[in-house]
Structure formats: structure tokens, C-alpha cells
Amino acid sequence: MAGMPPEAAPAGAPRRRKLGTRRRRLRRTVALLAVLAALFAAVGWLVYHFSRPPVRRPGEDLPDITTKLSQGVSENAPEPLWTDVTRDAGLAGFRTFAGPRSSQLPEDMGAGAAWGDYDNDGDEDLFLVSAGGNLDQGAAGWPPSLLFENLGDGTFRRDDRFPDTRISGMAAAWGDYDNDGWLDLVVTGYRALLLFHNDGGRLSPAPALPAPDGYWAGAAWGDFDNDRDLDLYVCGYVAYRAGDGGSPRASQQYGAAVPFTLNPASFEPQPNLLLENRGDGRFEEVALLHGVSNPGGRSLGALWHDFDADGRLDLYVANDISDNALFLQRDDGFEDVSLRALVADYRGAMGLAAGDWNRDGDDDLFITHWIAQENALYDSRLNDSPPADGGPRRLVFSDLSAPLGLGQIALPMVGWGTELADFDADGWLDLVVSNGSTFEDDGQPKKLVPQLPFLFWNRHGERFENLAPGNPALAVPHVGRGLALADYDQDGDLDLLLVHLDAGVQLLRNDMATGHQVQVRLRNRGPRADSGEGFGDGSTVIAQVGDATLRRTVGGASYLSQSSRTLHFGLGAAQRIDRLEVHWLGGETESYGPLAAGGLWQIREGDPEPRLLAGEPARTRHSVTAFWEAHRAAMDAMKREGDLERAIVLFRRALALDPSHEDARYYLANCLAATGEPAAALDELDRLRRQNPQSQRAQLRWAVLRAVHATSEADLAAAEAAAERALEINREETGSLLLLGELALIRGDDARAEQRLALACRTNPRAAGGFFLRAFIAHRAGRDDESRDLLLAVRQARGKDWKPAGAVSEGEVKSRMHDEDSPLSASWQAWNGEADPATAFTGVERRLAALQSFSASPP
């Protein structure tokens, strides 16, 4: 092969071709592009790694100011101080879902929670909805939905009286549909629409609602026809067909293959229900009649809210993969203005919240969406350009989520429950969002991908900043769904309950407050004179705090959840609300104020003054002077004028200025009792007993009223315990002994009654009631001579100027209005001096017979 040219090759050897110049350039270009792609990927990973919000575990230090600034959080942003109290509160045992999943739609939509004071004891109780479990395995193994009573000490106790309810549940909402003053409950789910009636704090199934079998999601109570009873709107989701979880069919969602049974587009939408309350415990379905059935929408939530401020409730419906709907109420019914108002949101919508985030005097709308769709903050333009002719204002919205920092941050998330609330009490509404994916985890296909929630701080109407990564409890991802707010521990701020589909619930105590706060509870009139008070549903309260105008409305939506009806106002540095306007739904507008910071105020429709339920507002020289003016005027009205109604108003005004004043509260209770309001009187006395446990008069007066109005053995036992406590405080005061003697007589223990009454008579020779009842005991035992002697002692105890009942002058009655009465006092006060035991005790025998009809045998 020597001497061969270099390019020559032996016979039979494969020929090698020399690369052309063009091909060599192409190869170099491809190699260079590969290197650049690898470099860009590395840089991209580094940017993502060092810019993403870090997940912090319990025990880690909170970020310093440099880290906060690097995360886009302002230097003056408050620390997200939230404490996970789930276990301490007694809620850690609840489970939302019993797996494993079978990849069916009802298993993944999650469930909600509802806050409401179902036992009327003044604190927020909690209902938790179970999302059920694997549809193919049946309900027997699903966790039940549970009712928890708030014990008032930061803990909850399961109410085992609530019926065992195992459903593929979704929403819950409290509402007093029968106007008896007790919150009833509706619960929805896949093939479930349940109503529970509240009978004095005990819930039991009510007659079935007029609804076909369906897949029911969000439920919202609202008095849409302004007739003073609550109607109910129920969202129908899709016409789902169960039992297809093993189907091999798949559909595409943003490039990912998902089972056919998890895509809501695989199923036809289900119309919604409007259940009109007929006022007699029955409902009539009228959604189609009023044009709000929304048959083309796969509805998940609905919000009753007066968006155009005309005094009538409007309706916004959140739909999944179909346009949302806004129905404004007109004189002739509802009008669909979704397109004209620019809120026919075409994205997959779940959570809803309404509130005036920028304090411009109208209420805005926030909506959570599915992945890659951004959440929306629709800013109302209602007040931007009022019509020159004074006609109705045009309602239109614009989406400001992107410039406010709420848009792009939500792209990788699937948003669910949400609320607008002022968490740090600076006077601006903040925003919280529960997130959780609907995609299955690649590594664990029977589980869903968890995500972090959002906690957005409102930077004084300029933008929203996410503080959640700075708190350990909020920096752990979950498959979030429901969300609801309430001041469960009654410390003045709103706490947060999150419902997780992959676990149970998470209760976070709010410790963020930096400003002063005021809370307001509304009680509206019912439809009839004999109705109980309502809970202010749909009414709007507007507070003027310096130059700021703060709006709050009773009612909300979140996602499948219900927050507290108590309205919360953060005041910042201000120490009072200067003026408060209540726009009663279906009623008038009433004004109050000023209201001092730090209090929980109750406002009854028609009352001239609010009532302070809790808190001790700071007192100024002006408030001290105003207190004594109101208190003296109240005493004059009570004692000199005999105008007890006016005295009640004045005493309440005085107590609003100084809630710790014992005389004002004691005399208010007596006025309430004398005007036929024993329950209100007992509430005032009970507060006085808690305020000063050594108040003998509060203990005794409470015992007397509880005994006088007893309807059960438990009432008598409670009265006796309070009377015993009053006797312990002051052994020299005979009123306690007399009441204890009467209670023993009512309970059939004559020997014990005689012992107590005799001691009262020895201690106080003018205890006419004691002598009279001892005379009755002697007569009943057949000792008539002794009975006559004791009746004579009654005359002597009353003095020589005593006149039989009926001869007392009007002035003497007024001056003795608040004297101690008792269960049997009317019988001996009406005694006409008859000395014959055979006829002297007719009144006491009748009264005893009535009281002993429910009294147990003596202990």
C-alpha cells in the first residue's frame, strides 16, 4: 500500500467522505446552541432557586429585613404573626377525607366549614364538613361531618347530639330560616342537600328541601325579596355519573392527561336552585321563575351582595369552565348584567369575596381561579362617575389584579377559599387565599399536589404583598380547599380556619394586630311581632373613622364556607369610630356613635343606642362626664318619673361609656325585668356576676329571676346554687334565706324549708314572707293553732300601718319597683289579712302546684 496517494483506499474498504464546509458549520452551530441551552437552564434554575419564596419549618427564625425586601415585601410590612392552635383547641382529630382516591370528581373538590353561634352563648361555634371518601367503597368508612361547641376558653368540644352525617360533602351555611332566634344549618354535597333545624341549641333533621337528586356545591342564605325571612340559593355543579373511576379514558388539561372522571367538562352543567322561604317552614323552588337558574354554568359558589347600593340583594355566581354571572335585582326581577359590568369571568372560578379594598365607597369583588388563569380583583367603578340627572348609577368593574400584585403570583396555583379582612387592624382590608392543586402527584398518583396559601397585606391601597412565607404555619403546603374567619377566642381580631383535603383543618390564631379595633353584631327585626331577632344578614355597616370610610357587610361566600357574621373594623391609630351607619336590609338607615375602640358592640334594629357586649373602651374626661349625665338621668327616670323604658335607654347609654359600673348594670337589669324582659335582665346580671363574683345583690337578684321564671328543675337548681352563693357572701342578709326556703318548699322538702325560713325570721323579725310561708307549712302539717299564731306574726312584721294588697298608692309602687320579689311572693303579698288557715293559703297552693309540675323530688 506504499506509494498510494493519501486519499486512496484499499480495494473493498469503505470510503470516507470529507465533510463539506457547510456541514461543519452546522455541526459547530448545533454544539454551540446546546452549550447555550445548558447555560440558560442553569441560570434559570439558579434564578428560580434563589428567588422563590422559601418554605420555613417550625422552629426556624423568621426572615430579617434584608430577606423581606428581597422577597418584594415592604420594610414597614407587619410580621405575619399567626399561631397554629389546632391541637390545643381540640380540632386535630377531624379528618376531611378517607382515602385512597379513585380519581373521581367529587373526591377532589373538597369541603368547607361554617362559623356560627348555634347555642346563643355569645361565642363562635364551628361546623366542619366531611368530603367523604372513595366513592367506590361506600359511605360506611367515610368520616362524619362534625359540630363543635366553643367552650369560651380557647377550646372546642364535639357536640355528640348532632346526627351522624356521612356524605360526600361540600358546603355548610348557618341561617335562621324559621325566625325563632336560633341559627339553623344547611349542608350540601354530591347527592346531598340537608337542612337541620335548631331547637334551642340542639340540631335535628328538618323536612326535606324541594330539590331533585343532584351534585350540590355552594349554599348562600339571603333575603332576596326583603320580606324579613331568609331564602336559600344552592349551586348545582355537574350531572356527575359515579362508578366510572376505573375508566381508561383521559382528557387534556393544560397539556396534562387527566382521567375523564376528573374533568368537569366531561359532564353537563346542573341548574341552580333558588328556594324561596314561604314563612311557614316550607320552601318553593323559583330559580327559573326569577331567571337565576344559570343552567349553563357549572356553579361552585354564590354571593348575595348589594353591589349597586340600591337596598336589594344582587347575586354573583362563580362557575367552573363557564362564564360567571352577575344578576342585579330590579323592580321586575333579576337582570343578567355580567357582560355589561365586565365580570362575565370565563375562567374556572372557585372562591368569592367582596369588600371595599381601596376605601373608595363601593364594594369590590375578588375571585380565585384554576391554574395558569390568575386570580381577579374586580374594582367597582360605581362611584366614579355618578349620573348628572340623579338616575341610577351604572355598575361596571375593572380587573386590577396584575398591577396590584395579585395576578402573576397566582399563575402556578389553584385558588379556592378566600376572604377580605383587616388582619393587622390598620384600617385596610387584607386578603387570604387557600391554594391546592387538582393534579395528581407523579410520584404518588393517589394523592394531589399540595400548595402554599397566600396571605396578602394591603399596603394602604397601593398594592398587595404576600406575607405567608414568613410564617412557619403558613409555609407548609397543603391541598387547600375551604377557608373561614372568626374571632374564636374573642380577643378582638379575626382568626383563620383552613380546610385541607389532604389532612383535616388548621386553626391559626391571629396575633398581628397593630391598631385599635371595634367589632359589631347586628340583630334585626323579624317578619312578625312574635318572631325572634335576626342576625343582620345582608345589612351593610359604614364606619367613619376620621377621614376614612370603612364598609362591612354581613354575609360572604369564600369557597363552600361561611365566616362569622360579626363585623370587624380595624381603626389603626384612631381610638373610636366617630359615626356608624347601619343600612338594614329591607329597613331604614340608622346612625350611632361615637363607639370607643376595644369593644364588641351589639346593635338592635330600632334601638337608639348600641350595647357593649365585651371589652373596656378607654375613658376620657368627656366620656366620664357623659356617663354621669346619662346615669343620673336614668335614675331619675326610674325612681321619680316611673318611665322604665326611658331608663333602660339611658342606662345602656351610660354603660356604653363605662361598662364596668355595677350600679348602672344592676338597675338596668331590674328595669328590664320590670318591663317584661327577664332573659335580657338575666344576661345583664350574669355579666355583673362575672365582673364581680362577690356582688351579693347580683347573685341574689339573678337567683330570684331564674326562680321566678323557672320552667324546669334545672332552672330551680341553678337558682338555688346562686342563692347559696349569695348567702355565703353575706350571712346577715335574709333575702337569700327566704329564697332558699321557698325553693325547698317548691321542691317538696317542707322540713328544710321550715329550717331556712325560721332562721330568716329570727334574723329579721320583719320578714313577713318567712312568717307567712311557715304558717302555710304548719297548716299543711295539720298544726292550725301554730299557723294562726304565725299569721298574726305576719301582721306584726308588717307593722300597724299595713294595708291589704290593692291599697298601696301609685307612688309607693314606683318607688319599690325593684324590691326583691320571689317565686311565691305574689301569694303572701296578696294576703288580705284572713286569719283562718282554711282560706288564707289558696294563692300559695295554686302557685306551688304550677311550679311543682316540673320539679323533681327533693334531693
Side-chain angles (χ1 to χ4, degrees), residues 76 83 85 127 202 206 281 317 321 378 396 403 429 472 496 536 573 684 688 701-702 748 780 789 832 842:
N76 63 339
T83 303
V85 295
F127 187 80
R202 181 164 188 161
V317 182
I321 60 169
Y378 287 110
V396 66
L429 289 177
L496 172 62
E684 297 293 345
L688 182 53
R701 188 68 176 130
W702 188 91
R780 191 152 69 167
D789 291 342
N832 61 5
T842 305

Side-chain angles (χ1 to χ4, degrees), residues 466-477:
N466 183 28
L467 306 183
N471 181 278
L474 292 170
V476 178

Side-chain angles (χ1 to χ4, degrees), residues 783-802:
R783 305 191 303 271
D784 280 351
D785 289 343
E786 181 182 344
S787 179
R788 291 187 184 90
D789 291 342
L790 287 166
L791 287 174
L792 179 60
V794 176
R795 280 183 167 277
Q796 293 171 344
R798 286 178 166 176
K800 61 180 181 179
D801 295 327
W802 170 71

